[in-house]
Amino acid sequence: MSKLFTDKEIIEGILSRDERICNQIARQLHEENKRIIMNLVLKNSGKKEDAEDLEQEVLIAFFNYVWAGRFILQDNTQIKTFLYAIAYKKWMKQLKKEGRKMSHEVELENEIIDDQRSPIHALIEQEELNIAQKIFNKLGKICQEILKAYYMEEKSMEEIALQFNFTNADTAKVRKFRCMKQLSNLI
């Protein structure tokens, strides 16, 4: 399958909510990412059926992220990297729920194979990740834990309130908002 849409066109197409275009985009994303997701699952205690289910979950989640305005395409991001990150988090969560662990430590850049990606681009991406991590590490420990709980572990505000002994979910929301504001000030 030849690439029909660029990353920018994919976002615009999803936002259009045109059923025909969204279906074409879903097929393209499926073709471009099925091998990567399959490898992730098969190398880490899963079966082919698990990978197929996960891929569907990832595409649904991605479309919802775009529609909700939670994914904004930037010059240094690729959709397939974001899809892999969703797959990785969801698969880790599934394994944890079932009491299993990842059998291989998988690094994002080792799983995503892109013939167009030069060593320079890989180095730049790694440096950007390092800078982002340094900025994140400047946050207080509680803010780091709150943001990890919300964005990485996908915990609800109620769960975060319980975890950090906040009065209620609204208090947790306010704390998360303050942490995000603090993070944006560091940037």
Short mmCIF file of all heavy atoms in Angstrom, two decimals, residues 13-60:
data_model
loop_
_atom_site.label_atom_id
_atom_site.label_comp_id
_atom_site.label_asym_id
_atom_site.label_seq_id
_atom_site.Cartn_x
_atom_site.Cartn_y
_atom_site.Cartn_z
N GLY A 13 -7.53 14.96 8.16
CA GLY A 13 -8.57 14.03 7.75
C GLY A 13 -9.38 13.52 8.93
O GLY A 13 -10.61 13.42 8.87
N ILE A 14 -8.69 13.20 10.02
CA ILE A 14 -9.40 12.72 11.22
C ILE A 14 -10.28 13.84 11.78
O ILE A 14 -11.44 13.60 12.14
CB ILE A 14 -8.40 12.22 12.28
CG1 ILE A 14 -7.70 10.95 11.79
CG2 ILE A 14 -9.11 11.97 13.61
CD1 ILE A 14 -6.56 10.48 12.67
N LEU A 15 -9.74 15.05 11.81
CA LEU A 15 -10.52 16.18 12.34
C LEU A 15 -11.73 16.50 11.47
O LEU A 15 -12.73 17.02 11.96
CB LEU A 15 -9.63 17.41 12.50
CG LEU A 15 -8.61 17.34 13.64
CD1 LEU A 15 -7.67 18.54 13.59
CD2 LEU A 15 -9.31 17.26 14.99
N SER A 16 -11.66 16.16 10.18
CA SER A 16 -12.80 16.41 9.29
C SER A 16 -13.99 15.52 9.64
O SER A 16 -15.12 15.84 9.30
CB SER A 16 -12.40 16.16 7.83
OG SER A 16 -12.36 14.76 7.54
N ARG A 17 -13.69 14.39 10.29
CA ARG A 17 -14.71 13.40 10.67
C ARG A 17 -15.45 12.83 9.47
O ARG A 17 -16.52 12.24 9.61
CB ARG A 17 -15.68 13.95 11.71
CG ARG A 17 -15.00 14.23 13.04
CD ARG A 17 -16.01 14.65 14.09
NE ARG A 17 -15.36 15.00 15.34
CZ ARG A 17 -15.40 14.24 16.42
NH1 ARG A 17 -16.04 13.11 16.42
NH2 ARG A 17 -14.80 14.64 17.52
N ASP A 18 -14.88 13.01 8.28
CA ASP A 18 -15.45 12.42 7.07
C ASP A 18 -15.21 10.92 7.13
O ASP A 18 -14.07 10.46 7.18
CB ASP A 18 -14.77 13.04 5.83
CG ASP A 18 -15.32 12.48 4.54
OD1 ASP A 18 -15.18 11.25 4.30
OD2 ASP A 18 -15.86 13.27 3.74
N GLU A 19 -16.31 10.14 7.12
CA GLU A 19 -16.21 8.70 7.34
C GLU A 19 -15.32 8.02 6.30
O GLU A 19 -14.51 7.16 6.64
CB GLU A 19 -17.62 8.08 7.31
CG GLU A 19 -17.63 6.62 7.68
CD GLU A 19 -19.04 6.05 7.73
OE1 GLU A 19 -20.01 6.82 7.79
OE2 GLU A 19 -19.14 4.82 7.70
N ARG A 20 -15.44 8.40 5.05
CA ARG A 20 -14.64 7.79 3.99
C ARG A 20 -13.15 8.06 4.20
O ARG A 20 -12.33 7.15 4.14
CB ARG A 20 -15.09 8.33 2.62
CG ARG A 20 -14.42 7.68 1.43
CD ARG A 20 -14.87 8.32 0.11
NE ARG A 20 -14.64 9.75 0.03
CZ ARG A 20 -13.45 10.32 -0.22
NH1 ARG A 20 -12.39 9.58 -0.41
NH2 ARG A 20 -13.32 11.63 -0.29
N ILE A 21 -12.82 9.30 4.50
CA ILE A 21 -11.41 9.67 4.71
C ILE A 21 -10.88 8.99 5.97
O ILE A 21 -9.77 8.45 5.97
CB ILE A 21 -11.26 11.21 4.80
CG1 ILE A 21 -11.56 11.83 3.43
CG2 ILE A 21 -9.86 11.60 5.26
CD1 ILE A 21 -11.62 13.34 3.42
N CYS A 22 -11.66 9.00 7.05
CA CYS A 22 -11.23 8.36 8.30
C CYS A 22 -10.98 6.87 8.09
O CYS A 22 -10.02 6.31 8.64
CB CYS A 22 -12.24 8.60 9.40
SG CYS A 22 -12.23 10.31 10.03
N ASN A 23 -11.81 6.21 7.29
CA ASN A 23 -11.59 4.79 7.00
C ASN A 23 -10.31 4.57 6.22
O ASN A 23 -9.56 3.62 6.48
CB ASN A 23 -12.79 4.21 6.24
CG ASN A 23 -14.00 4.00 7.13
OD1 ASN A 23 -13.88 3.87 8.35
ND2 ASN A 23 -15.17 3.98 6.54
N GLN A 24 -10.04 5.44 5.24
CA GLN A 24 -8.79 5.33 4.47
C GLN A 24 -7.58 5.53 5.38
O GLN A 24 -6.58 4.82 5.27
CB GLN A 24 -8.76 6.36 3.34
CG GLN A 24 -9.71 6.07 2.21
CD GLN A 24 -9.71 7.19 1.17
OE1 GLN A 24 -9.41 8.34 1.46
NE2 GLN A 24 -10.07 6.82 -0.05
N ILE A 25 -7.69 6.50 6.26
CA ILE A 25 -6.60 6.78 7.20
C ILE A 25 -6.39 5.59 8.14
O ILE A 25 -5.25 5.17 8.37
CB ILE A 25 -6.89 8.08 7.99
CG1 ILE A 25 -6.75 9.29 7.06
CG2 ILE A 25 -5.96 8.20 9.21
CD1 ILE A 25 -7.25 10.59 7.64
N ALA A 26 -7.48 5.03 8.64
CA ALA A 26 -7.37 3.87 9.53
C ALA A 26 -6.69 2.71 8.81
O ALA A 26 -5.82 2.03 9.39
CB ALA A 26 -8.74 3.45 10.03
N ARG A 27 -7.04 2.47 7.54
CA ARG A 27 -6.39 1.39 6.77
C ARG A 27 -4.90 1.67 6.59
O ARG A 27 -4.07 0.78 6.73
CB ARG A 27 -7.07 1.23 5.40
CG ARG A 27 -8.33 0.39 5.45
CD ARG A 27 -8.81 -0.01 4.07
NE ARG A 27 -9.24 1.11 3.24
CZ ARG A 27 -10.43 1.68 3.31
NH1 ARG A 27 -11.32 1.25 4.16
NH2 ARG A 27 -10.73 2.70 2.53
N GLN A 28 -4.56 2.93 6.27
CA GLN A 28 -3.16 3.28 6.10
C GLN A 28 -2.39 3.09 7.40
O GLN A 28 -1.30 2.49 7.40
CB GLN A 28 -3.02 4.73 5.63
CG GLN A 28 -1.56 5.16 5.49
CD GLN A 28 -1.41 6.58 4.98
OE1 GLN A 28 -2.20 7.05 4.19
NE2 GLN A 28 -0.38 7.27 5.45
N LEU A 29 -2.93 3.57 8.50
CA LEU A 29 -2.25 3.43 9.79
C LEU A 29 -2.11 1.96 10.17
O LEU A 29 -1.09 1.55 10.72
CB LEU A 29 -2.98 4.22 10.88
CG LEU A 29 -2.94 5.74 10.73
CD1 LEU A 29 -3.81 6.40 11.78
CD2 LEU A 29 -1.52 6.27 10.78
N HIS A 30 -3.13 1.17 9.86
CA HIS A 30 -3.07 -0.28 10.12
C HIS A 30 -1.90 -0.90 9.36
O HIS A 30 -1.08 -1.61 9.94
CB HIS A 30 -4.39 -0.93 9.71
CG HIS A 30 -4.30 -2.41 9.56
ND1 HIS A 30 -4.22 -3.27 10.64
CD2 HIS A 30 -4.25 -3.19 8.45
CE1 HIS A 30 -4.13 -4.51 10.19
NE2 HIS A 30 -4.15 -4.49 8.87
N GLU A 31 -1.82 -0.61 8.07
CA GLU A 31 -0.76 -1.19 7.24
C GLU A 31 0.64 -0.76 7.70
O GLU A 31 1.57 -1.55 7.73
CB GLU A 31 -0.95 -0.82 5.76
CG GLU A 31 -2.07 -1.56 5.09
CD GLU A 31 -1.88 -3.07 5.11
OE1 GLU A 31 -0.76 -3.55 4.85
OE2 GLU A 31 -2.88 -3.78 5.37
N GLU A 32 0.76 0.50 8.05
CA GLU A 32 2.07 1.05 8.43
C GLU A 32 2.53 0.59 9.82
O GLU A 32 3.73 0.61 10.08
CB GLU A 32 2.03 2.58 8.40
CG GLU A 32 1.91 3.16 7.02
CD GLU A 32 1.75 4.67 7.01
OE1 GLU A 32 1.64 5.30 8.08
OE2 GLU A 32 1.74 5.24 5.91
N ASN A 33 1.61 0.21 10.69
CA ASN A 33 1.98 -0.05 12.08
C ASN A 33 1.74 -1.47 12.56
O ASN A 33 2.15 -1.81 13.67
CB ASN A 33 1.24 0.94 12.99
CG ASN A 33 1.69 2.35 12.72
OD1 ASN A 33 2.75 2.76 13.16
ND2 ASN A 33 0.90 3.10 11.97
N LYS A 34 1.11 -2.31 11.76
CA LYS A 34 0.76 -3.65 12.24
C LYS A 34 1.99 -4.48 12.59
O LYS A 34 2.00 -5.18 13.60
CB LYS A 34 -0.13 -4.39 11.24
CG LYS A 34 0.53 -4.76 9.93
CD LYS A 34 -0.46 -5.44 9.00
CE LYS A 34 0.19 -5.72 7.65
NZ LYS A 34 -0.75 -6.28 6.72
N ARG A 35 3.06 -4.39 11.82
CA ARG A 35 4.26 -5.18 12.08
C ARG A 35 4.94 -4.75 13.38
O ARG A 35 5.36 -5.58 14.19
CB ARG A 35 5.24 -5.07 10.91
CG ARG A 35 6.39 -6.05 11.01
CD ARG A 35 7.37 -5.89 9.84
NE ARG A 35 8.55 -5.17 10.26
CZ ARG A 35 8.73 -3.86 10.33
NH1 ARG A 35 7.80 -3.04 10.01
NH2 ARG A 35 9.85 -3.33 10.73
N ILE A 36 5.01 -3.48 13.61
CA ILE A 36 5.66 -2.95 14.81
C ILE A 36 4.89 -3.38 16.06
O ILE A 36 5.49 -3.83 17.04
CB ILE A 36 5.77 -1.41 14.73
CG1 ILE A 36 6.74 -1.01 13.61
CG2 ILE A 36 6.22 -0.83 16.05
CD1 ILE A 36 6.72 0.46 13.28
N ILE A 37 3.57 -3.27 16.02
CA ILE A 37 2.75 -3.65 17.17
C ILE A 37 2.80 -5.16 17.36
O ILE A 37 2.90 -5.65 18.49
CB ILE A 37 1.31 -3.12 17.01
CG1 ILE A 37 1.34 -1.58 17.09
CG2 ILE A 37 0.38 -3.70 18.08
CD1 ILE A 37 0.02 -0.90 16.78
N MET A 38 2.76 -5.90 16.26
CA MET A 38 2.85 -7.36 16.34
C MET A 38 4.16 -7.77 17.01
O MET A 38 4.18 -8.62 17.90
CB MET A 38 2.75 -7.96 14.93
CG MET A 38 2.75 -9.48 14.89
SD MET A 38 1.23 -10.23 15.52
CE MET A 38 0.04 -9.75 14.27
N ASN A 39 5.27 -7.16 16.61
CA ASN A 39 6.57 -7.47 17.21
C ASN A 39 6.59 -7.15 18.70
O ASN A 39 7.11 -7.93 19.49
CB ASN A 39 7.70 -6.70 16.51
CG ASN A 39 8.02 -7.26 15.15
OD1 ASN A 39 7.71 -8.40 14.83
ND2 ASN A 39 8.66 -6.45 14.33
N LEU A 40 6.04 -6.02 19.07
CA LEU A 40 5.98 -5.64 20.48
C LEU A 40 5.27 -6.71 21.31
O LEU A 40 5.78 -7.15 22.34
CB LEU A 40 5.26 -4.29 20.64
CG LEU A 40 4.89 -3.89 22.07
CD1 LEU A 40 6.14 -3.54 22.87
CD2 LEU A 40 3.91 -2.73 22.06
N VAL A 41 4.12 -7.13 20.84
CA VAL A 41 3.31 -8.09 21.59
C VAL A 41 3.95 -9.47 21.60
O VAL A 41 4.06 -10.12 22.65
CB VAL A 41 1.87 -8.13 21.03
CG1 VAL A 41 1.06 -9.25 21.66
CG2 VAL A 41 1.18 -6.79 21.25
N LEU A 42 4.38 -9.94 20.43
CA LEU A 42 4.94 -11.29 20.34
C LEU A 42 6.24 -11.43 21.13
O LEU A 42 6.51 -12.49 21.69
CB LEU A 42 5.17 -11.69 18.88
CG LEU A 42 3.90 -11.86 18.03
CD1 LEU A 42 4.25 -12.21 16.59
CD2 LEU A 42 2.95 -12.89 18.62
N LYS A 43 7.01 -10.38 21.19
CA LYS A 43 8.27 -10.42 21.95
C LYS A 43 8.04 -10.29 23.45
O LYS A 43 8.96 -10.46 24.24
CB LYS A 43 9.21 -9.31 21.50
CG LYS A 43 9.83 -9.55 20.14
CD LYS A 43 10.77 -8.41 19.79
CE LYS A 43 11.40 -8.61 18.42
NZ LYS A 43 12.28 -7.50 18.08
N ASN A 44 6.82 -9.97 23.83
CA ASN A 44 6.54 -9.69 25.24
C ASN A 44 5.29 -10.42 25.71
O ASN A 44 4.29 -9.80 26.10
CB ASN A 44 6.42 -8.18 25.46
CG ASN A 44 7.74 -7.49 25.24
OD1 ASN A 44 8.62 -7.59 26.07
ND2 ASN A 44 7.88 -6.83 24.10
N SER A 45 5.36 -11.73 25.69
CA SER A 45 4.35 -12.61 26.30
C SER A 45 2.98 -12.59 25.63
O SER A 45 2.00 -12.97 26.27
CB SER A 45 4.16 -12.27 27.78
OG SER A 45 5.38 -12.24 28.46
N GLY A 46 2.89 -12.15 24.39
CA GLY A 46 1.58 -12.08 23.75
C GLY A 46 1.45 -13.00 22.56
O GLY A 46 2.41 -13.63 22.12
N LYS A 47 0.23 -13.06 22.05
CA LYS A 47 -0.09 -13.87 20.89
C LYS A 47 -0.54 -12.96 19.75
O LYS A 47 -0.82 -11.78 19.96
CB LYS A 47 -1.24 -14.83 21.23
CG LYS A 47 -0.91 -15.79 22.35
CD LYS A 47 -2.12 -16.63 22.67
CE LYS A 47 -1.84 -17.39 23.95
NZ LYS A 47 -2.98 -17.52 24.80
N LYS A 48 -0.66 -13.56 18.58
CA LYS A 48 -1.09 -12.81 17.39
C LYS A 48 -2.44 -12.12 17.64
O LYS A 48 -2.61 -10.96 17.27
CB LYS A 48 -1.17 -13.75 16.19
CG LYS A 48 -1.57 -13.08 14.92
CD LYS A 48 -1.66 -14.05 13.76
CE LYS A 48 -2.12 -13.31 12.53
NZ LYS A 48 -2.44 -14.20 11.43
N GLU A 49 -3.37 -12.83 18.27
CA GLU A 49 -4.70 -12.28 18.54
C GLU A 49 -4.60 -11.07 19.47
O GLU A 49 -5.34 -10.09 19.31
CB GLU A 49 -5.63 -13.34 19.15
CG GLU A 49 -5.92 -14.50 18.24
CD GLU A 49 -4.81 -15.54 18.17
OE1 GLU A 49 -3.97 -15.63 19.10
OE2 GLU A 49 -4.75 -16.25 17.15
N ASP A 50 -3.69 -11.15 20.45
CA ASP A 50 -3.48 -10.01 21.36
C ASP A 50 -3.02 -8.79 20.58
O ASP A 50 -3.47 -7.67 20.84
CB ASP A 50 -2.42 -10.35 22.42
CG ASP A 50 -2.83 -11.49 23.34
OD1 ASP A 50 -4.02 -11.61 23.66
OD2 ASP A 50 -1.93 -12.26 23.74
N ALA A 51 -2.11 -9.02 19.65
CA ALA A 51 -1.56 -7.92 18.85
C ALA A 51 -2.65 -7.29 17.98
O ALA A 51 -2.72 -6.06 17.86
CB ALA A 51 -0.41 -8.41 17.98
N GLU A 52 -3.50 -8.12 17.40
CA GLU A 52 -4.58 -7.60 16.56
C GLU A 52 -5.56 -6.77 17.39
O GLU A 52 -5.99 -5.70 16.96
CB GLU A 52 -5.28 -8.75 15.85
CG GLU A 52 -4.41 -9.41 14.79
CD GLU A 52 -4.93 -10.76 14.30
OE1 GLU A 52 -5.89 -11.30 14.91
OE2 GLU A 52 -4.38 -11.26 13.30
N ASP A 53 -5.89 -7.27 18.58
CA ASP A 53 -6.77 -6.51 19.47
C ASP A 53 -6.13 -5.19 19.89
O ASP A 53 -6.78 -4.14 19.89
CB ASP A 53 -7.11 -7.32 20.72
CG ASP A 53 -8.01 -8.52 20.43
OD1 ASP A 53 -8.61 -8.58 19.33
OD2 ASP A 53 -8.09 -9.41 21.30
N LEU A 54 -4.85 -5.26 20.25
CA LEU A 54 -4.13 -4.07 20.69
C LEU A 54 -4.08 -3.03 19.57
O LEU A 54 -4.28 -1.84 19.83
CB LEU A 54 -2.71 -4.43 21.14
CG LEU A 54 -1.85 -3.27 21.60
CD1 LEU A 54 -2.44 -2.60 22.84
CD2 LEU A 54 -0.43 -3.73 21.88
N GLU A 55 -3.84 -3.48 18.37
CA GLU A 55 -3.76 -2.53 17.25
C GLU A 55 -5.07 -1.78 17.09
O GLU A 55 -5.07 -0.56 16.89
CB GLU A 55 -3.41 -3.26 15.96
CG GLU A 55 -3.23 -2.29 14.81
CD GLU A 55 -3.05 -2.96 13.47
OE1 GLU A 55 -2.98 -4.20 13.40
OE2 GLU A 55 -2.99 -2.21 12.48
N GLN A 56 -6.18 -2.47 17.19
CA GLN A 56 -7.48 -1.81 17.09
C GLN A 56 -7.67 -0.79 18.23
O GLN A 56 -8.11 0.33 18.00
CB GLN A 56 -8.60 -2.83 17.11
CG GLN A 56 -8.57 -3.69 15.88
CD GLN A 56 -9.95 -4.04 15.38
OE1 GLN A 56 -10.94 -3.81 16.05
NE2 GLN A 56 -9.99 -4.57 14.19
N GLU A 57 -7.30 -1.20 19.44
CA GLU A 57 -7.40 -0.29 20.59
C GLU A 57 -6.56 0.96 20.36
O GLU A 57 -6.96 2.07 20.70
CB GLU A 57 -6.94 -0.98 21.86
CG GLU A 57 -7.87 -2.03 22.40
CD GLU A 57 -7.30 -2.68 23.65
OE1 GLU A 57 -6.70 -1.97 24.48
OE2 GLU A 57 -7.47 -3.90 23.78
N VAL A 58 -5.35 0.77 19.81
CA VAL A 58 -4.43 1.89 19.58
C VAL A 58 -5.03 2.86 18.57
O VAL A 58 -5.00 4.08 18.77
CB VAL A 58 -3.05 1.37 19.11
CG1 VAL A 58 -2.20 2.49 18.55
CG2 VAL A 58 -2.34 0.66 20.25
N LEU A 59 -5.58 2.34 17.47
CA LEU A 59 -6.16 3.22 16.45
C LEU A 59 -7.35 3.99 17.01
O LEU A 59 -7.48 5.19 16.77
CB LEU A 59 -6.55 2.42 15.21
CG LEU A 59 -5.39 1.88 14.38
CD1 LEU A 59 -5.90 1.06 13.20
CD2 LEU A 59 -4.47 3.00 13.89
N ILE A 60 -8.19 3.31 17.77
CA ILE A 60 -9.34 3.99 18.38
C ILE A 60 -8.86 5.08 19.34
O ILE A 60 -9.35 6.21 19.32
CB ILE A 60 -10.25 2.97 19.10
CG1 ILE A 60 -10.95 2.08 18.06
CG2 ILE A 60 -11.27 3.68 19.99
CD1 ILE A 60 -11.62 0.86 18.64
#
